[in-house]
Amino acid sequence: MKHSFFNLLKKTLYWLCLLHLYLRLEHFVGWKRSVISLCFHSTPESVTSEAISILERGTSRKSFENQIEILSKWLQPIDDQQLLNWFRRTTSLKKDGLLVTFDDGYKNNQTVATPILQSKGVPGLIFIPTGFISCRKRFWWSRLSDAMRAMEPNQWKSLGDKQLPSDILKVVADEDLANWSSRKKARRRIALWLNQNGTSNSVIQAIESVTTPQHDPNMALLNWDDIKTLSSSGVIHFGSHTHTHPSLTQLTTLEIGSELQAGSESFKEHLGSLPLSLAYPGGHVDQRVENQAADAGFLLAFTTQQGIIRQSMNRLQLPRLYLGFSKPYEIYFSLVLINLAKYAPARFEATILRLARS
Ligand SMILES: [Zn+2]
């Protein structure tokens, strides 16, 4: 009820052109410049009902197209080098900046998102975990989803006989996979445990062993040839997402350094230069991780914290935004709220931005 009232309000303000007027006014008198960095993952043609996790759902072509179309009209599209120049005050922005980023290097960033970016002249920045490129290795969350999507209820219950951590056995006992929502819930509970306890390959292997996982084509990754082709197009830039995509905050200082170095070396070997930017896997960062990123030579580093980039910010912990909307009136409304958040006292920013997201 509350949700539909909010949608009706957005639609009404959009059709009365009030959102458009506000944006025009802000553009005319606005005195604060900031940068909105969008964070995307998979960009499939359409969102399938088979998707059992947020990452699998991704951002559909229609949603991506509308977001880029509207935001690139109101904001100034930039790449990471231009963002760095803005921080160094060697470049100024005529409008608020727009930096479009993608994490993990999904193949559909090339097939679906890139042509849309090219048609609008908007640069894209893809963060790649180099140890997953051009090999058969797959992310743990894709492996878990592929197994859980194919899992039959009797196969699921057979996991109760395996040597597994007691928390996982409890999920097996609690959930019956009788319908899609219990399947999603079971997957979410296991993913949460893996996130909190450090990904355990033996747990994923045990889950995979009782069923026949079916690979989701929307989670396929780019290979080095794709990356070289995209890189030479001039529209798509690449940054590091480490080598093996671990949660860096759970590693020793020595391990963090090796991860970052391995990612950069592989990047240089294939693309001929070192990466300028880094996206922390899972957005996980603390002071130790940030220091290692600085030592490894990164000049910009991104978290998954929701926020607007201001010129005074720490360049090694930059926030991003995930809007998740597809309809023009929703995207306009988000943009108005982002503009309001820009002028609001810092302690209200998170609350206003929460309303700007789906
Ligand atoms: Zn990632």
Side-chain angles (χ1 to χ4, degrees), residues 103-104 241 245:
D103 282 7
D104 304 338
H241 202 28
H245 203 287

Side-chain angles (χ1 to χ4, degrees), residues 209-277:
S209 73
V210 297
T211 186
T212 314
Q214 285 155 11
H215 291 190
D216 176 358
N218 287 333
M219 300 300 274
L221 299 177
L222 294 164
N223 61 40
W224 282 116
D225 284 339
D226 298 329
I227 292 170
K228 281 176 196 162
T229 306
L230 284 168
S231 186
S232 61
S233 75
V235 177
I236 303 296
H237 305 262
F238 289 90
S240 172
H241 202 28
T242 73
H243 189 57
T244 63
H245 203 287
S247 171
L248 293 175
T249 49
Q250 291 178 13
L251 303 186
T252 65
T253 307
L254 209 64
E255 287 168 337
I256 300 167
S258 317
E259 256 303 321
L260 296 174
Q261 200 184 345
S264 292
E265 274 169 11
S266 176
F267 199 100
K268 179 147 193 225
E269 182 194 331
H270 291 94
L271 293 174
S273 61
L274 286 169
L276 166 72
S277 312

Side-chain angles (χ1 to χ4, degrees), residues 164-198:
L164 286 167
S166 58
D167 289 339
I168 299 289
L169 291 175
K170 182 158 179 8
V171 181
V172 173
D174 290 350
E175 309 294 340
D176 55 11
L177 304 203
N179 55 46
W180 212 249
S181 76
S182 66
R183 192 176 293 265
K184 278 162 91 167
K185 192 170 159 212
R187 191 242 172 244
R188 192 167 57 240
R189 287 180 65 185
I190 294 172
L192 198 68
W193 187 90
L194 289 168
N195 244 330
Q196 283 167 352
N197 295 275

